[in-house]
Amino acid sequence: MTPLEHIIREKIARDGGMTVAEYMTLCLAHPEHGYYQRPRTLGAEGDFITAPEASQIFGELIGAWIAAGWQAAGRPDPFLLVEAGPGRGLLMQDLLRAAGHMPGFLDAVRIHLIETSAALKQEQKRRLEPLGLAIAWHERIDDVPEGPFFFVGNEFLDALPVHHFVKKDGRFVERLVSLDEGGNLCFRDAGAPLADDAVPAWAKDLPEGSIIELSPEREAFAAMVAERVAVHGGAALFIDYGHARPGAGETLQAVQRHRPVSVFHEPGRCDLTAHVDFSAVASAMAAQGADVYGPMEQGPFLRALGLELRLQALLKRADARRRMILKRGAKRIADNDQMGRLFKVLAAVPGGANPPAPFTRGQRWQHS
Ligand code: SAH
């Protein structure tokens, strides 16, 4: 049994159970035994591969997008470049290399990283401090100072906690993580009922037994990003796996060494995530006065930003082994059967600003 499972069981024995959101938070973010404190979580030798881990082109294209947004905003100086959940720091490194080609960008940029994991923060420091730019770390977005706000969060929202509710006797009650007769971790639909006004419109008429997955935590975070952009100017990108339209069902999943495992397997030693409900995130952002675009699938987004051109340029200077790695990485981040379709991109700019290319006016998110 992992040390964290002991802690979880004690808490369940004391309180009768914990919400799925509490369980997820403990598994990922416990200050000592949480998953993100572990060495080697991300990357080929870890448990899962993200887009920046698969291809340098991902961060480079996002760098070009941020640089274009900075230009469109009138090149504010200074401005904040904020990343939430920077992982091993690869996305930021690739982003800065690309955006740094725009004259003035690196002189004006003030980098702020939002990270809770001490282990990953050390890795980000090692990778990014040699660049000699101003970088500050924060545990919460509230601690980031005010100013023109350029933001990116890749596979960040999927790590924020979700709640599960099950319809019983006409009401949604919260699902708890509890212990069965045999003493094993299990789900029990025995938590507090969801207030009627918190039931989303699409879920109101679902049949008995239906399960829904909600994340006020994600919506609150996205709203804070959108508010900064709306008030101070800037542009924001959330990239994650998930669905454009909400629906019944739950998507909590655990991964260890690139393989799916039970969500109760070795708590604290597996990555736990859930699909992002982009419509919930988009409406939370639009409510702050930002213009929201997307969600657009990651493949078309990256191709529109010049994926193929960049790949060809890199291939020209690469040896045979490197060419294979570059091609495989580009397929990984953009092909439909890989990350290209499941992963989606949501953008926000201040209300009334021009659509941020490659988004067009028609892709503006409208509450349905
Ligand atoms: N963006 C990176 C890493 C994704 S993994 C990439 O694409 O490779 C998720 C990241 O979010 C990790 O850096 C993790 O430590 C961080 N994280 C998870 N929950 C967080 C929270 N509540 N606040 C801040 N950072 C968090």
Side-chain angles (χ1 to χ4, degrees):
M1 197 183 292
T2 64
L4 188 61
E5 187 165 351
H6 274 292
I7 296 170
I8 288 169
R9 280 162 178 271
E10 268 170 29
K11 199 167 165 4
I12 291 173
R14 202 176 55 234
D15 305 342
M18 64 176 69
T19 65
V20 171
E22 280 174 86
Y23 177 73
M24 203 172 160
T25 303
L26 278 174
C27 286
L28 292 178
H30 185 279
E32 204 180 332
H33 305 298
Y35 175 72
Y36 284 120
Q37 298 302 341
R38 292 175 70 72
R40 282 191 299 284
T41 47
L42 288 115
E45 280 140 46
D47 295 298
F48 61 103
I49 295 223
T50 58
E53 296 280 340
S55 173
Q56 68 179 78
I57 301 176
F58 183 78
E60 291 171 347
L61 295 177
I62 288 173
W65 189 87
I66 295 275
W70 178 65
Q71 175 96 352
R75 308 163 62 87
D77 180 3
F79 73 97
L80 310 176
L81 174 58
V82 183
E83 183 178 2
R88 299 203 302 152
L90 288 166
L91 168 54
M92 185 52 74
Q93 189 181 34
D94 296 334
L95 182 165
L96 289 167
R97 190 174 55 249
H101 290 296
M102 183 167 279
F105 187 94
L106 294 179
D107 295 324
V109 72
R110 304 290 181 271
I111 301 166
H112 293 268
L113 304 180
I114 303 170
E115 178 57 79
T116 47
S117 155
L120 285 170
K121 181 176 159 184
Q122 283 317 313
E123 191 149 350
Q124 292 153 22
K125 278 203 155 141
R126 256 201 319 278
R127 178 158 283 124
L128 299 172
E129 281 189 340
L131 301 177
L133 298 165
I135 308 183
W137 276 265
H138 311 277
E139 292 202 1
R140 293 147 34 91
I141 187 172
D142 312 66
D143 301 331
V144 177
E146 296 191 339
F149 199 81
F150 292 80
F151 173 91
V152 60
N154 183 61
E155 291 211 46
F156 172 73
L157 290 177
D158 68 14
L160 297 189
V162 293
H163 299 253
H164 290 172
F165 296 90
V166 178
K167 197 161 191 183
K168 263 174 114 175
D169 303 323
R171 301 198 71 177
F172 281 100
V173 297
E174 183 144 18
R175 169 168 276 189
L176 302 179
V177 174
S178 183
L179 294 172
D180 65 17
E181 295 73 38
N184 303 308
L185 291 173
C186 71
F187 288 123
R188 215 182 278 289
D189 301 329
L194 182 63
D196 285 339
D197 60 3
V199 178
W202 57 265
K204 289 211 189 313
D205 299 321
L206 289 174
E208 278 288 296
S210 298
I211 181 160
I212 60 173
E213 188 170 76
L214 304 179
S215 181
E217 289 85 350
R218 292 174 177 173
E219 290 161 41
F221 188 91
M224 285 188 274
V225 168
E227 193 215 342
R228 298 285 190 118
V229 169
V231 173
H232 301 284
L237 276 186
F238 278 111
I239 306 156
D240 229 305
Y241 79 120
H243 38 273
R245 297 267 154 255
E250 60 97 351
T251 67
L252 186 65
Q253 64 173 46
V255 166
Q256 193 176 47
R257 286 186 282 282
H258 309 281
R259 276 204 300 273
V261 293
S262 155
V263 297
F264 298 133
H265 178 71
E266 299 194 347
R269 292 193 185 149
C270 308
D271 188 34
L272 270 186
T273 59
H275 284 224
V276 171
D277 171 358
F278 279 99
S279 69
V281 171
S283 45
M285 294 180 88
Q288 298 299 319
D291 282 354
V292 179
Y293 289 86
M296 187 192 269
E297 289 174 357
Q298 177 169 302
F301 176 77
L302 295 175
R303 281 192 284 273
L305 288 179
L307 172 75
E308 192 53 38
L309 217 59
R310 181 65 189 140
L311 175 63
Q312 291 310 325
L314 288 169
L315 288 175
K316 273 200 196 106
R317 321 184 223 122
D319 61 22
R321 201 182 99 81
R322 180 103 188 98
R323 287 170 68 89
M324 198 187 71
I325 294 171
L326 284 164
K327 282 190 200 159
R328 200 192 302 143
K331 283 177 81 62
R332 177 94 182 220
I333 60 176
D335 278 12
N336 277 348
D337 58 349
Q338 303 211 29
M339 300 176 107
R341 181 166 265 169
L342 178 59
F343 280 74
K344 298 179 180 69
V345 183
L346 199 66
V349 290
N354 287 326
F359 294 96
T360 56
R361 220 160 271 291
Q363 287 168 313
R364 166 117 180 259
W365 190 84
Q366 309 273 6
H367 196 74
S368 51

